[in-house]
Amino acid sequence: MIPVYQGETTLPSVIDELLPYTEPSRTARGTEFQVSEILLVHDNGPDASDDTMRALAEAHPVVRPVWLSRNFGQHAATLAGMASTGGDWIVTMDEDGQHDPKFIADMLDTALTQQASLVYSMARNPPPHGFVRNLASVGAKRVLSSASGLKNAKDFQSFRLMLGSIGRSVAAYAGPNIYLDVALGWVTKDVATCPIDLREEGDRPSGYNYKSLFGHFWRMFLTSGTRGLRAVSLLGVVAAIAGLVLTVVLVVAKLFFEPSLPSGWPSLMVALLIIGGAILISLGMIAEYIGVNVNMAMGKPLYLIVPDPAAGPLGRARAQSGPQAGVDQPARRDG
């Protein structure tokens, strides 16, 4: 599955590289697989990607376009493509050619050997985005990982493989503005990474500027849970405790060490700390209630029913040698 925003010039070569895998193929570990369909999701970019998609679909029956009514963004387009798939596995990748389809086989081997329902690509070489953007990306993912409790946030990539049942379920319940990888983390138990080599993006400019990338990070943080809201309550508790400690310190200082302390200043500082702490605690409680409603609005599920794992592709891989696996294809701009 490939979300398409500016793929007029790069899509044909990406499809040419994928076509050999639409015939039965084998991974390095001997697992047989076949790409059953290549979904191209048109996200209404500024170029003539739609004409390119129509030409590719006419030339190759395995290519299937999915048309969106307007530009909704990379993650929404990816979710739309995931909802339209039908295979045992879903692969998402970018339109710009930086993701080499040959690594699909390695990702599938990783999923089967580690019994992982979600596999992220892990670049062995620096992404071709420039030093500043790469540094910002690494820093943002580390901040998110520590602040939100998402331990695998550092692994988030747009080149990923997941069980089809998981991907289609996430596409069904995810609400507006949800960050896709956060939503996947809600329902996946075993997540793995697979080493790959990234290539250059092609001859077209990136669809992201620094402003949109910051919005990308902010949406990822806001949809990652309520831990950030709880920090408000914690800050209030710390301020209240500091006020009480300062009260004791100032009283002792006034009585025994510094009788000349100006009247009114100690009480003002204590009042500010204690009242400020009380306000922050109250705001934190309100934020927790808001957080519950935010989770409901985002579509975070209470549970997710999936098919019997032993009857799915992971179970078949465990039960027999040389298992078969059908792989559906998605792709897109990197995030």
Side-chain angles (χ1 to χ4, degrees), residues 188-276:
T188 49
K189 180 180 65 172
D190 299 307
V191 180
T193 58
C194 176
I196 70 162
D197 297 314
L198 286 177
R199 303 183 297 192
E200 293 296 327
E201 294 178 292
D203 58 356
R204 58 118 171 123
S206 171
Y208 290 107
N209 54 36
Y210 285 107
K211 180 180 179 181
S212 61
L213 287 171
F214 177 77
H216 204 56
F217 164 75
W218 193 239
R219 179 159 52 92
M220 180 167 56
F221 182 82
L222 290 179
T223 58
S224 63
T226 59
R227 183 173 290 195
L229 298 176
R230 291 174 183 169
V232 177
S233 297
L234 179 61
L235 181 62
V237 171
V238 170
I241 292 175
L244 294 175
V245 171
L246 183 60
T247 300
V248 175
V249 170
L250 291 176
V251 168
V252 172
K254 181 72 173 179
L255 294 177
F256 301 104
F257 301 103
E258 291 289 340
S260 61
L261 277 175
S263 300
W265 180 83
S267 58
L268 177 61
M269 292 299 101
V270 169
L272 286 175
L273 284 171
I274 293 178
I275 294 173

Side-chain angles (χ1 to χ4, degrees), residues 107-158:
M107 295 168 73
L108 183 58
D109 272 342
T110 299
L112 297 178
T113 55
Q114 299 188 30
Q115 290 291 288
S117 56
L118 173 62
V119 178
Y120 285 107
S121 62
M122 181 178 63
R124 290 179 289 214
N125 58 315
H129 305 312
F131 175 77
V132 174
R133 179 171 165 182
N134 290 342
L135 182 64
S137 177
V138 172
K141 290 176 180 178
R142 287 182 178 177
V143 168
L144 180 69
S145 181
S146 59
S148 67
L150 294 172
K151 296 181 180 179
N152 67 323
K154 66 182 187 305
D155 301 324
F156 289 172
Q157 297 291 340
S158 57

Side-chain angles (χ1 to χ4, degrees), residues 26 29-34 36 86-90 108-109 111-116 162-165 168 307-328:
R26 286 193 177 273
R29 292 181 175 269
T31 299
E32 186 175 341
F33 74 100
Q34 181 177 355
S36 58
D88 287 342
W89 296 95
I90 300 173
L108 183 58
D109 272 342
L112 297 178
T113 55
Q114 299 188 30
Q115 290 291 288
M162 71 194 79
L163 281 173
S165 58
R168 286 184 288 274
D308 180 1
L314 292 176
R316 293 198 298 271
R318 180 185 296 176
Q320 64 188 45
S321 60
Q324 306 237 348
V327 181
D328 287 324

Side-chain angles (χ1 to χ4, degrees), residues 89-103:
W89 296 95
I90 300 173
V91 174
T92 66
M93 56 190 297
D94 285 355
E95 70 198 351
D96 52 23
Q98 70 171 331
H99 297 151
D100 192 335
K102 73 179 182 181
F103 290 109

